[in-house]
Amino acid sequence: MKFIIQRELILKPLQKISNIISGKNFLPILNNVLIKVKKKYIKLIRTNLEIEIIIKIISCKIYKSGTTTVLARKFFDICRSFPELSIINIEIKNLRLIISSNKTKFYLSITSENNFPKLEIYTYDLQFFIPINLLKNLIKSTQFSMSKNDIRYYLNGMLFEFSKNKIKSVTTDGHRLSISNMFIEGIKFNKSIIIPRDSIKELMKFLDNKKDFLNIKISNNNIFFKIGNYSLISKLIEGIYPDYKNICLKQYDNFLQADCNKLYEAISRVSLLSNEKFKGIRLYISKNQIKITANNSSHEEAEEFLNILYEGNNIEICFNAIYILDVLNILKCDKIKLLFNNNFSGIQIENFLNKGSIYILMPMHL
C-alpha cells in the first residue's frame, strides 16, 4: 500500500472519523481506522459496532493498492502535526505504516484488516432524497430533549415518522416533549423508526452543506445516509415509542402570548439565583403580567415582571429554567404562545404564527 496526498485533503476526513462515539469500544480494534487503498480512491472506515462511517477520498496519487488498520487518533494527530499544505507520503513497509513529509518520518504499528469487524451488507426497502438544510433544521428543533441514559432505551433516540410528503421528529426525556413537522415532496410511504442519540450526534457533524441533498435508505434494522463521498450507517432502536399524541393539548383553559426574546432574557437573569442543581423558577401568571422568581439555599432571591397578553385565572407554576430556555432558544421567533390548564398540568409552547413545532414541559414541585 502506498499513496501521496495533501495534508488538508486527508486531515478533514480523519478529523470527522477520529472522534466517532467511542465510549462503548470494548474491543481495542474499534479504536482503529480501516484504510482501503484502491486504484482510483481511498476509503477511510470507522465503526463502534452501532455506527459505521465511510469516507471516500479521490484527490490523491496512488502507487499501490492495499488495506490495513491503524489507531485513528494517532494517525490524525500525526497528519495534523505537519505544516499546512504539506505533501504526505503514506506506505506500508516491514509491517509498519510509514507517514512522512519533507524530512520527518513516523513509523506506526498496524493491525491486519482481518481483525477489523466485517462490514455488513444491508438490503434497504425504502429510499428517498431530502435537502440537507431541511433535515438539519428538523433535528435541531427536537435534538435537545432526547434522553441520555434512560432505562427505557427507546427514549435514548429520536423518533422519525414518515407519511405522505411529511417527516416528523419527536424526542422526550420524560420531563419534556419536542415535536417538529416538515413537509417535503417525495415521501410516499408510512413508517416509524428510532435513530439512536449517538448516531444523530455523528450525523449532525456532516450536515454542513446547505445546498446539497442527502440520500437516505431505510431497512427494518438500519438506516443509511449518504452525502457526496461520506456515508453513515446506523442501527435502529427496536421498541415502541410512547404515544406522545395523547400528551399534546387538544383542549386548554388558558392561553398566554409573550415576546419570545424578552421572556428568554428575563428567565436567564432570574435563574442566576436559582438552585444550582434543580434550576427551578416560579411563574406567577396574572392578567397581562408574569412575575418570574427564583431563590436558592443561600437565601438569595431574584424577581422580574414581564408584560404579556393573558386574560385567564391567576396561576402559579414552577419549571426547570433550562428546559424553558432550551425551547425559547430553538424557537427564536417574535411571539410565542403558552397553552395550559392549571398549575399541575404540562404547558405547551408554540411559535405564535407557525405550528410546525410543539414543545411540552412538565411542571416541577418546589
Side-chain angles (χ1 to χ4, degrees):
M1 185 183 86
K2 182 177 180 180
F3 64 94
I4 295 175
I5 191 168
Q6 190 184 72
R7 172 186 180 269
E8 282 65 29
L9 295 178
I10 195 169
L11 194 62
K12 189 174 181 180
L14 281 176
Q15 185 176 25
K16 287 182 179 292
I17 64 172
S18 64
N19 293 321
I20 185 174
I21 306 297
S22 57
K24 300 175 183 178
N25 289 358
F26 53 90
L27 297 175
I29 191 65
L30 298 183
N31 293 313
N32 285 26
V33 55
L34 177 66
I35 308 171
K36 283 190 172 184
V37 179
K38 301 291 186 179
K39 289 183 178 180
K40 296 182 179 180
Y41 61 85
I42 299 168
K43 275 188 178 180
L44 303 177
I45 303 171
R46 189 87 191 275
T47 183
N48 65 1
L49 302 182
E50 292 184 357
I51 307 168
E52 184 179 301
I53 294 177
I54 304 171
I55 301 180
K56 188 176 180 180
I57 305 173
I58 299 175
S59 302
C60 56
K61 190 172 184 179
I62 296 171
Y63 292 96
K64 186 177 180 182
S65 300
T67 305
T68 191
T69 82
V70 66
L71 283 171
R73 189 71 203 184
K74 190 174 291 184
F75 188 26
F76 167 67
D77 287 340
I78 288 173
C79 291
R80 184 175 57 176
S81 71
F82 293 120
E84 292 184 3
L85 303 179
S86 294
I87 301 300
I88 303 175
N89 299 272
I90 299 173
E91 63 179 320
I92 292 178
K93 275 188 180 180
N94 301 322
L95 300 179
R96 289 198 293 181
L97 187 70
I98 302 175
I99 308 170
S100 61
S101 182
N102 200 4
K103 297 180 179 180
T104 305
K105 278 189 179 182
F106 295 88
Y107 299 83
L108 293 185
S109 298
I110 56 177
T111 305
S112 170
E113 68 273 16
N114 295 327
N115 297 322
F116 200 81
K118 298 296 181 183
L119 304 180
E120 297 183 38
I121 299 175
Y122 306 103
T123 301
Y124 298 99
D125 306 315
L126 303 169
Q127 179 178 196
F128 61 96
F129 291 85
I130 181 174
I132 288 177
N133 63 322
L134 292 185
L135 181 62
K136 187 174 183 178
N137 291 336
L138 187 66
I139 293 174
K140 271 187 173 182
S141 297
T142 57
Q143 183 180 15
F144 64 91
S145 59
M146 273 191 293
S147 191
K148 294 182 179 179
N149 297 300
D150 202 298
I151 57 173
R152 297 164 293 181
Y153 58 92
Y154 44 81
L155 297 186
N156 300 318
M158 182 176 291
L159 173 70
F160 282 88
E161 291 187 338
F162 301 91
S163 57
K164 187 176 180 180
N165 295 329
K166 185 178 179 182
I167 302 178
K168 179 185 293 184
S169 66
V170 183
T171 62
T172 181
D173 58 10
H175 304 287
R176 49 187 173 170
L177 171 69
S178 302
I179 305 168
S180 188
N181 298 279
M182 196 159 288
F183 292 93
I184 175 171
E185 295 183 2
I187 306 297
K188 300 178 180 179
F189 55 87
N190 296 317
K191 192 173 182 66
S192 296
I193 60 173
I194 307 173
I195 302 178
R197 175 188 179 87
D198 288 349
S199 300
I200 293 293
K201 290 176 67 175
E202 289 298 325
L203 177 63
M204 285 295 281
K205 295 177 184 178
F206 292 84
L207 299 181
D208 52 5
N209 188 340
K210 296 182 180 180
K211 297 181 180 180
D212 211 344
F213 279 77
L214 179 68
N215 182 14
I216 300 178
K217 301 178 184 179
I218 303 174
S219 70
N220 288 333
N221 303 310
N222 297 277
I223 187 166
F224 170 91
F225 301 93
K226 189 174 190 305
I227 312 168
N229 292 323
Y230 158 75
S231 301
L232 183 149
I233 303 169
S234 168
K235 293 185 182 297
L236 298 175
I237 296 177
E238 296 182 7
I240 299 175
Y241 209 79
D243 187 4
Y244 65 89
K245 295 176 183 178
N246 287 333
I247 303 176
C248 297
L249 295 181
K250 298 178 177 64
Q251 295 182 338
Y252 51 89
D253 297 329
N254 299 292
F255 169 89
L256 180 157
Q257 179 184 332
D259 183 289
C260 182
N261 188 55
K262 289 181 179 179
L263 183 59
Y264 181 92
E265 292 177 349
I267 292 176
S268 297
R269 284 189 290 266
V270 172
S271 64
L272 292 174
L273 293 186
S274 64
N275 183 286
E276 292 184 3
K277 183 177 181 181
F278 301 107
K279 287 295 180 182
I281 59 170
R282 292 182 186 272
L283 304 181
Y284 297 89
I285 305 172
S286 57
K287 184 177 180 179
N288 293 334
Q289 182 177 262
I290 292 182
K291 177 185 176 183
I292 308 168
T293 70
N295 58 70
N296 56 40
S297 57
S298 300
H299 305 291
E300 298 171 324
E301 299 179 6
E303 66 177 30
E304 183 165 341
F305 291 87
L306 187 67
N307 293 329
I308 57 170
L309 290 178
Y310 178 70
E311 296 289 344
N313 297 324
N314 291 355
I315 293 287
E316 176 187 343
I317 191 165
C318 305
F319 288 104
N320 184 310
I322 294 176
Y323 289 175
I324 300 182
L325 293 175
D326 281 343
V327 172
L328 300 180
N329 187 51
I330 289 294
L331 286 174
K332 290 181 179 177
C333 54
D334 291 332
K335 301 292 182 182
I336 60 167
K337 58 182 177 181
L338 281 66
L339 313 176
F340 54 96
N341 289 316
N342 53 58
N343 55 347
F344 299 108
S345 67
I347 187 167
Q348 186 164 308
I349 306 175
E350 302 174 15
N351 182 328
F352 186 75
L353 298 177
N354 184 352
K355 294 184 179 180
S357 297
I358 295 173
Y359 303 96
I360 299 175
L361 307 180
M362 300 308 295
M364 296 177 64
H365 301 285
L366 296 179

